[in-house]
Amino acid sequence: MNISRFALSIFSCFFFAFFFEWVFHGILLKELYTITAQLWRTEKEMSQYMPWAITTQLWVVLAFAWIFMRNYEGKAIPEGLRFG
């Protein structure tokens, strides 16, 4: 296992996941969340959970990267289907 490629994949996947979640929830669904604000916790309350959310996201990305790197065989589409 190439450690530098593993670290790069963790970083890039974490960056993508964090950016995607920010765009999806912070921009695209913001209006919907504002309309239904009575159903959700306040932003102040949710900010207490942000370190836990980031840590969990990092662990999930780490697990997916590790599973992929351990089983990588270079077989392109069949391998991608098996991983998915």
Side-chain angles (χ1 to χ4, degrees):
M1 182 184 320
N2 187 340
I3 298 297
S4 61
R5 291 183 90 183
F6 181 61
L8 180 62
S9 68
I10 291 171
F11 175 76
S12 60
C13 289
F14 180 75
F15 179 76
F16 172 78
F18 198 79
F19 181 74
F20 177 78
E21 294 281 333
W22 174 70
V23 169
F24 190 73
H25 294 285
I27 296 173
L28 297 176
L29 294 179
K30 186 174 182 134
E31 185 179 333
L32 182 63
Y33 291 151
T34 304
I35 293 168
T36 59
Q38 71 276 10
L39 300 174
W40 314 110
R41 291 184 171 116
T42 63
E43 267 191 64
K44 182 180 177 186
E45 192 177 359
M46 282 305 294
S47 66
Q48 297 173 359
Y49 296 108
M50 193 63 169
W52 289 105
I54 292 171
T55 304
T56 303
Q57 189 111 15
L58 183 61
W59 278 107
V60 168
V61 165
L62 182 88
F64 276 109
W66 184 76
I67 290 168
F68 182 79
M69 293 292 278
R70 292 285 296 170
N71 297 313
Y72 179 73
E73 298 172 355
K75 294 183 179 176
I77 292 173
E79 186 174 33
L81 291 172
R82 186 181 74 216
F83 181 70

